[in-house]
Amino acid sequence: MIKPKTILVTGGAGFIGSNWLNLMVPRHQDIQFVNMDKLTYAGNPLSLEAVEPSENYRFVKGDICSRKAIQDVWNEYQPDTVVHFAAESHVDRSISGPTDFIETNVMGTLNLLEVFRASKQITRFHHISTDEVFGALGDEGLFTEETRYDPSSPYSASKAASDHVVRAYNRTYGLPITVTNCSNNYGPMQFPEKLVPLMILNAMEGKPLPVYGSGRNVRDWLYVDDHCEAIWKVLVQGDDGATYNVGGNAEKTNLDVVHAICRIVGEETEREPNEIIGQITYVKDRPGHDFRYAIDATKIRTHLGWCPVESFESGMRKTVRWYIDNKKWVDSVRSGEYRNWIEQNYVKR
Ligand code: NAD
Ligand code: TYD
């Protein structure tokens, strides 16, 4: 069991990182959390309003592609633990422009590892990764920790590369690392380019619901708080050098997901769900679109006692309610207003 004193969190203004900080900062007041985030389009300080005033929380606007910026944070805060969320994370963007994905996900991870390799006080470097590194499944089978890597998109290739480099630093230099490979997350504060928030907001606003190809591709959905709890468990209890797969045991076709969203949005806004289903439009498929992802989470369940708390139904209802109830966040993201606010309020390192 490790006992972190100062945790450097990278990418904590993004979807999963901000949910993780919102859970962990109030819960662990004896731990200092330092959030280093570049605030790309996907980073939003509004997602961190609740933790911003906390004594045990600091924000640094910084780019992991700059080794100096990481070194400066290291010199100032002397973290003993790293939780590495920062990444370019959207598959479609990686198809239209792969370069940022290689720079941030591969070179940015390398920069972090290089700075922390020199440190003797690092007790844990936890790397957050995805099940997409394993490539596509057919109708049968599950991804285990032993499944061979076979990434399809520039995003998944960049995450696969970073996973290998992180493990190499453990084997070669003895850096104490852990890795989690998780399935698709959904929940509050996800940027509305990903399937779930895009469909929720478009459903609410009467806009088209663009389903790629046949809509029969399958993803294994996990509510974000369940992922956050899994990360904490692996961080403090995971074996040195180990990898854990994390998944919700909630396989759905994309069409199932969109139908569920239409139903829940209908119920929560007193509209006829079939009218919302009528907004579905089938659009051109994504190139190299992986057919199916599904996780075997036996290892994290049996070794660390983790299992998801939310069902797909309960998690999706919470998510829909969050987007209905958080108009300020939604409007500022939809209008781009949050970008102006960042320009005025944050100094880049
Ligand atoms: P996100 O895109 O919402 O957030 C990424 C964050 O990283 C943003 O705050 C962004 O500003 C920051 N960032 C990007 N480039 C940076 C740089 N060069 N320097 C510093 N900060 C930078 O992503 P997310 O969905 O929260 O994903 C977080 C991590 O979890 C990623 O590593 C992703 O690969 C992994 N993951 C995501 C999912 C999912 O379903 N979203 C599933 C499994 C794993
Ligand atoms: P996404 O949320 O981008 O996650 P990932 O590609 O990392 O799994 O997409 C989830 C699934 O939904 C994927 O099969 C692509 C599909 N999709 C659509 O059908 N329409 C959309 O507008 C988006 C963004 C995704």
Side-chain angles (χ1 to χ4, degrees):
M1 185 102 170
I2 68 147
K3 291 201 184 323
K5 290 193 199 69
T6 302
I7 304 182
L8 172 62
V9 178
T10 70
F15 164 50
I16 304 173
S18 61
N19 277 285
W20 193 80
L21 284 164
N22 277 298
L23 284 174
M24 299 305 159
V25 170
R27 190 184 294 172
H28 301 285
Q29 297 197 7
D30 52 334
I31 298 176
Q32 183 73 32
F33 293 84
V34 181
N35 176 14
M36 178 180 186
D37 195 300
K38 183 182 176 183
L39 297 180
T40 67
Y41 78 96
N44 189 347
L46 279 179
S47 306
L48 292 162
E49 267 186 342
V51 295
E52 199 70 52
S54 310
E55 280 295 324
N56 61 327
Y57 174 77
R58 293 288 179 274
F59 181 79
V60 178
K61 185 169 191 271
D63 186 345
I64 59 166
C65 294
S66 159
R67 209 169 284 185
K68 179 176 179 307
I70 302 168
Q71 190 68 56
D72 288 349
V73 173
W74 158 249
N75 291 343
E76 190 169 346
Y77 295 101
Q78 305 275 313
D80 51 19
T81 308
V82 180
V83 178
H84 177 33
F85 293 96
E88 288 292 337
S89 70
H90 189 41
V91 172
D92 294 327
R93 285 184 192 248
S94 83
I95 294 168
S96 48
T99 308
D100 285 351
F101 286 72
I102 304 301
E103 278 172 5
T104 289
N105 301 2
V106 185
M107 294 308 294
T109 301
L110 177 77
N111 287 333
L112 283 165
L113 290 164
E114 270 299 281
V115 170
F116 292 104
R117 174 161 79 93
S119 150
K120 292 286 167 264
Q121 71 189 54
I122 280 289
T123 53
R124 180 56 50 91
F125 184 107
H126 181 68
H127 177 60
I128 321 283
S129 192
T130 166
D131 60 357
E132 303 193 23
V133 297
F134 300 120
L137 289 167
D139 287 323
E140 302 291 323
L142 299 171
F143 297 134
T144 73
E145 287 78 4
E146 276 70 51
T147 303
R148 193 173 69 89
Y149 275 33
D150 188 19
S152 303
S153 70
Y155 164 66
S156 49
S158 69
K159 293 297 292 187
S162 65
D163 292 9
H164 289 315
V165 179
V166 168
R167 292 190 187 109
Y169 269 63
N170 180 255
R171 291 191 206 164
T172 307
Y173 305 114
L175 190 76
I177 65 105
T178 40
V179 178
T180 40
N181 292 91
C182 187
S183 64
N184 285 61
N185 285 212
Y186 66 97
M189 304 182 293
Q190 187 170 28
F191 192 80
E193 62 185 351
K194 304 276 168 66
L195 181 75
V196 168
L198 180 78
M199 293 295 166
I200 293 173
L201 293 181
N202 282 11
M204 283 162 47
E205 292 164 2
K207 293 183 181 160
L209 307 175
V211 170
Y212 297 168
S214 65
R216 281 202 273 273
N217 300 63
V218 174
R219 299 290 182 265
D220 176 357
W221 293 93
L222 182 68
Y223 188 67
V224 63
D225 283 1
D226 282 322
H227 185 192
C228 291
E229 298 295 353
I231 291 167
W232 180 260
K233 274 210 178 255
V234 172
L235 179 70
V236 298
Q237 290 177 43
D239 289 339
D240 181 26
T243 289
Y244 298 84
N245 280 1
V246 184
N249 199 17
E251 282 185 58
K252 307 268 171 220
T253 66
N254 292 338
L255 218 46
D256 285 341
V257 173
V258 176
H259 276 231
I261 290 171
C262 293
R263 175 175 52 76
I264 297 171
V265 167
E267 287 163 5
E268 296 290 333
T269 60
E270 294 180 7
R271 270 180 67 204
E272 177 51 51
N274 281 335
E275 190 188 299
I276 306 175
I277 288 171
Q279 292 166 220
I280 292 175
T281 41
Y282 291 91
V283 299
K284 197 165 167 290
D285 208 355
R286 172 189 280 173
H289 195 173
D290 284 335
F291 174 60
R292 175 170 164 260
Y293 303 142
I295 285 276
D296 178 349
T298 306
K299 181 177 175 184
I300 189 169
R301 194 178 66 243
T302 55
H303 290 211
L304 303 180
W306 174 88
C307 64
V309 170
E310 299 293 342
S311 66
F312 180 79
E313 178 66 24
S314 65
M316 195 55 81
R317 194 168 294 273
K318 276 190 177 177
T319 306
V320 168
R321 278 271 27 125
W322 189 88
Y323 282 93
I324 293 171
D325 293 340
N326 286 273
K327 204 169 155 18
K328 180 177 155 196
W329 189 98
V330 169
D331 287 348
S332 114
V333 168
R334 287 294 238 195
S335 66
E337 178 53 36
Y338 74 112
R339 300 310 311 167
N340 302 335
W341 192 71
I342 287 168
E343 291 308 319
Q344 285 156 18
N345 288 281
Y346 285 93
V347 184
K348 186 174 185 306
R349 291 219 182 193

